[in-house]
Amino acid sequence: MTLRRSKLVDDAFGPSIESPGDPWVEKAWNSKAPATRRKHARKALTVDPDCIDAYVLLAHEAESDAEQVALLREAVRVGDRLYAPILDDPDMHWWGFIGTRPYMRAMQILGLAHEAIGDRADAEAIYRRLLDMNPGDNQGIRMLLLRVLLDDGRVKDCAPIIALYEDDWSLEIMFTSLMIELDKNTKRAPKRILAEIAERNEHAVDLLLRTLKTGKAPADPSSSFVSLGSEDEALSYVANFIECWQIKPKLVERLKTLMAGTRAS
C-alpha cells in the first residue's frame, strides 16, 4: 500500500495541511460511539501517519494521561515538520488562516494536558509559543498562561502579560492585576481595581471569598454559554483560579482586609 502523506498547501484560503486521512477523521467526529471514533481515527493514520486531527481525536479518547500527552506531542511534532517552511515567517498571521487552526488547537490541548498532570514548565512553553504566533490571542491563551504562572506562585511574572492586554476587561486579567497590586502591598491601586471588578461582575469577589473560606471549589460552567457579569462567569473564574489564591495566603488576608475596609466605608 502506497502512503500519501499530509502536505502543506497554499490556496485562496491561505496555508493549510491537506491530508488523505481527512475523510476518515470526519467520519470519526461524526460517530457517537467512542469505539467507532477510535476505529476511524486509526484508519486515518493508516492512510496517512501525518494526519494531525487523527492524533488529536485519539487523544480525546485516550485511557491515560501518558497516552494523551504522547498522542498530542506527535500531533504537534507533525505540525512543526509540515509547517517548517513558514514557522519563522514574521508576517505569518497564524490564526487568520482557517487551515492552520487544527495545528494550533493541538498545541493548546497539549498545553492543557501538561497542566493537568502538573507539568507547568512544558505548559508555559507551549502557551508562550502560541502567544508569539498569535499575539491577538483568539484562543484565550493569555488566561491559561496566567493560571500556570499563578499556580506556580509567580505573581510578578504576570505583569508583562497584563501590560500586553491592558484593554482586556476579563475577570482573569482584572483579578490578576489585583493580585499583582496586593503582592506589592500598595493601598490605592487594589481598592480601585476591586471597585472595577465589583462593577464588572457583582458576584465575583463574594464568590471568591466564600470559596476561599469553605475550600470547596465550584464546578466550572464554561462548557455552556457564559454571559458577561453573570454568576456563571464568576463561577468559571473561581473554579479555574481558586488554587492560585490558596497558595498565596498573604494575598488572601490582604484581600479580606481590603474588603472589610471597603464595606465599613
Side-chain angles (χ1 to χ4, degrees), residues 10-108:
D10 197 354
D11 54 26
F13 299 101
S16 64
I17 301 300
E18 187 178 272
S19 169
D22 287 343
W24 291 100
V25 168
E26 185 176 355
K27 287 183 180 181
W29 285 124
N30 291 332
S31 300
K32 295 182 179 180
T36 305
R37 286 197 294 270
R38 288 193 294 270
K39 176 184 175 181
H40 289 324
R42 285 193 291 267
K43 178 63 177 178
L45 290 176
T46 300
V47 173
D48 174 20
D50 288 341
C51 186
I52 293 174
D53 277 334
Y55 288 111
V56 173
L57 195 148
L58 287 172
H60 279 293
E61 306 291 339
E63 296 180 356
S64 69
D65 292 335
E67 181 187 8
Q68 183 181 54
V69 169
L71 287 163
L72 292 168
R73 278 178 173 165
E74 188 59 30
V76 174
R77 275 197 291 264
V78 169
D80 289 345
R81 174 165 47 80
L82 293 174
Y83 279 111
I86 57 175
L87 271 181
D88 297 325
D89 184 349
D91 298 321
M92 177 65 182
H93 300 289
W94 285 92
W95 193 256
F97 302 111
I98 294 176
T100 67
R101 295 180 186 180
Y103 168 53
M104 298 182 73
R105 280 192 290 264
M107 293 174 66
Q108 178 178 356

Side-chain angles (χ1 to χ4, degrees), residues 23-235:
W24 291 100
V25 168
E26 185 176 355
K27 287 183 180 181
W29 285 124
N30 291 332
S31 300
K32 295 182 179 180
T36 305
R37 286 197 294 270
R38 288 193 294 270
K39 176 184 175 181
H40 289 324
R42 285 193 291 267
K43 178 63 177 178
L45 290 176
T46 300
V47 173
D48 174 20
D50 288 341
C51 186
I52 293 174
D53 277 334
Y55 288 111
V56 173
L57 195 148
L58 287 172
H60 279 293
E61 306 291 339
E63 296 180 356
S64 69
D65 292 335
E67 181 187 8
Q68 183 181 54
V69 169
L71 287 163
L72 292 168
R73 278 178 173 165
E74 188 59 30
V76 174
R77 275 197 291 264
V78 169
D80 289 345
R81 174 165 47 80
L82 293 174
Y83 279 111
I86 57 175
L87 271 181
D88 297 325
D89 184 349
D91 298 321
M92 177 65 182
H93 300 289
W94 285 92
W95 193 256
F97 302 111
I98 294 176
T100 67
R101 295 180 186 180
Y103 168 53
M104 298 182 73
R105 280 192 290 264
M107 293 174 66
Q108 178 178 356
I109 299 168
L110 177 57
L112 291 169
H114 279 303
E115 237 190 301
I117 61 176
D119 290 342
R120 286 193 288 269
D122 286 335
E124 178 185 349
I126 291 169
Y127 295 154
R128 288 191 183 279
R129 184 183 178 197
L130 279 167
L131 285 178
D132 285 342
M133 293 171 71
N134 180 30
D137 192 24
N138 310 74
Q139 293 173 275
I141 301 299
R142 59 192 180 277
M143 318 304 185
L144 304 180
L145 179 55
L146 289 175
R147 183 174 65 192
V148 165
L149 295 175
L150 293 173
D151 273 341
D152 213 23
R154 297 159 57 191
V155 177
K156 293 181 177 64
D157 289 348
C158 294
I161 302 165
I162 299 296
L164 287 174
Y165 300 98
E166 59 183 1
D167 294 329
D168 185 332
W169 283 71
S170 66
L171 290 182
E172 292 85 353
I173 293 287
M174 296 178 77
F175 269 112
T176 303
S177 297
L178 177 62
M179 293 183 80
I180 291 170
E181 295 303 326
L182 289 172
D183 189 55
K184 294 177 183 176
N185 204 16
T186 57
K187 294 181 178 180
R188 290 186 179 180
K191 189 174 182 179
R192 172 183 55 78
I193 296 171
L194 194 63
E196 291 173 348
I197 293 173
E199 182 178 356
R200 169 71 174 73
N201 187 305
E202 62 180 349
H203 311 282
V205 177
D206 285 341
L207 178 61
L208 174 62
L209 289 173
R210 286 201 308 271
T211 304
L212 286 167
K213 184 177 181 179
T214 64
K216 296 179 180 179
D220 182 5
S222 61
S223 57
S224 58
F225 177 76
V226 176
S227 59
L228 297 179
S230 68
E231 187 172 5
D232 276 353
E233 183 190 28
L235 284 167

Side-chain angles (χ1 to χ4, degrees), residues 227-245:
S227 59
L228 297 179
S230 68
E231 187 172 5
D232 276 353
E233 183 190 28
L235 284 167
S236 181
Y237 170 76
V238 173
N240 284 289
F241 281 79
I242 187 62
E243 293 181 8
C244 304
W245 287 92

